């Protein structure tokens, strides 16, 4: 089996709480993003972009989350507040993949959104190929306009996912995968 196929067959999400340093170097980040951007993109619209959240920016984003969360949950206890504060602080690198659909006469919105999803998948596989663990998540923050504004998203942009990347501190067990006889039919 070649390395590419082995990588595809072995990829496993690693929860952010199990992702520590070291994170990818600047050169590796460039490699990750280059690989992520090699997706089907009908019309070459590039209907996605990246926001890198690393270093101290992870704590700054945590404070944005705390403010929004407390506004919606004024009775939240200290543990829940701490969870929101630390949501992006575990993995050394979080890549926000932003979907930016553009009206087009020939290319439907659905294809553009799927392209952004493909970016997230490529990013996961590239991280795995470089020996890092990764996890693609969304959560409430991906849909909250206060958070999106803090990240600089335009009104027509959405978060396709937050991809957390780092060195695994624990190895997750593999989960049961679908049985092909349950999901495959022939036409």
């Amino acid at each position: 089996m070649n390395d590419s196929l082995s990588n595809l067959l072995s990829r496993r999400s690693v929860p952010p709480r199990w992702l520590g340093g070291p994170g990818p170097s600047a050169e590796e980040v460039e490699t990750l993003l280059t690989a992520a951007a090699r997706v089907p993109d009908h019309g070459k619209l590039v209907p996605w972009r990246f926001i890198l959240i690393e270093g101290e920016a992870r704590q700054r984003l945590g404070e944005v989350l705390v403010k929004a969360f407390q506004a919606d949950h004024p009775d939240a206890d200290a543990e829940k507040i701490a969870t929101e504060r630390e949501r992006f602080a575990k993995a050394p690198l979080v890549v926000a993949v932003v979907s930016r659909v553009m009206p087009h006469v020939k290319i439907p919105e659905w294809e553009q959104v799927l392209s952004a999803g493909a970016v997230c998948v490529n990013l996961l596989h590239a991280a795995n190929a470089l020996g890092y663990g990764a996890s693609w998540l969304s959560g409430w923050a991906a849909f909250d306009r206060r958070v999106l504004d803090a990240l600089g998203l335009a009104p027509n942009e959405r978060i396709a996912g937050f991809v957390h990347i780092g060195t695994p501190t624990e190895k997750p067990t593999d989960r049961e995968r679908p049985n092909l006889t349950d999901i495959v039919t022939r036409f």
Side-chain angles (χ1 to χ4, degrees):
M1 182 180 324
N2 70 34
D3 289 343
S4 295
L5 188 55
S6 179
N7 185 41
L8 289 168
L9 293 173
S10 68
R11 194 215 59 83
R12 174 73 177 97
S13 293
V14 179
R17 70 181 179 277
W18 292 351
L19 295 172
S25 67
E27 181 179 282
E28 289 173 319
V29 170
E30 186 171 332
T31 298
L32 289 168
L33 299 178
T34 300
R38 290 189 64 94
V39 295
D41 175 12
H42 187 186
K44 301 179 191 124
L45 298 178
V46 190
W48 31 260
R49 64 183 180 92
F50 304 107
I51 300 172
L52 303 182
I53 306 162
E54 54 194 339
E56 178 268 331
R58 299 172 303 149
Q59 286 73 34
R60 281 197 339 262
L61 183 55
E63 293 307 319
V64 169
L65 266 61
V66 165
K67 187 176 177 183
F69 187 78
Q70 284 182 311
D72 293 345
H73 306 280
D75 297 331
D77 63 30
E79 185 178 330
K80 288 184 180 172
I81 299 299
T83 296
E84 297 309 325
R85 182 171 280 117
E86 297 299 313
R87 185 171 296 279
F88 293 98
K90 307 280 191 234
L93 172 64
V94 180
V95 179
V97 178
V98 178
S99 173
R100 53 182 187 176
V101 173
M102 296 161 229
H104 195 280
V105 67
K106 290 174 63 177
I107 301 156
E109 177 180 328
W110 181 240
E111 286 186 24
Q112 296 179 54
V113 171
L114 289 172
S115 185
V119 165
C120 294
V121 172
N122 269 14
L123 192 51
L124 292 174
H125 286 298
N128 190 51
L130 288 176
Y132 292 102
S135 192
W136 172 10
L137 301 172
S138 57
W140 72 269
F143 306 98
D144 188 282
R145 192 69 244 174
R146 296 162 294 191
V147 176
L148 301 180
D149 288 344
L151 288 168
L153 271 70
N156 68 320
E157 294 181 318
R158 296 183 290 183
I159 295 290
F162 293 107
V163 180
H164 301 248
I165 302 170
T167 299
T169 59
E170 293 187 39
K171 183 179 180 183
T173 57
D174 203 7
R175 66 175 173 82
E176 187 175 325
R177 302 298 172 162
N179 185 328
L180 292 180
T181 60
D182 295 335
I183 59 171
V184 176
T185 59
R186 296 207 191 294
F187 179 71

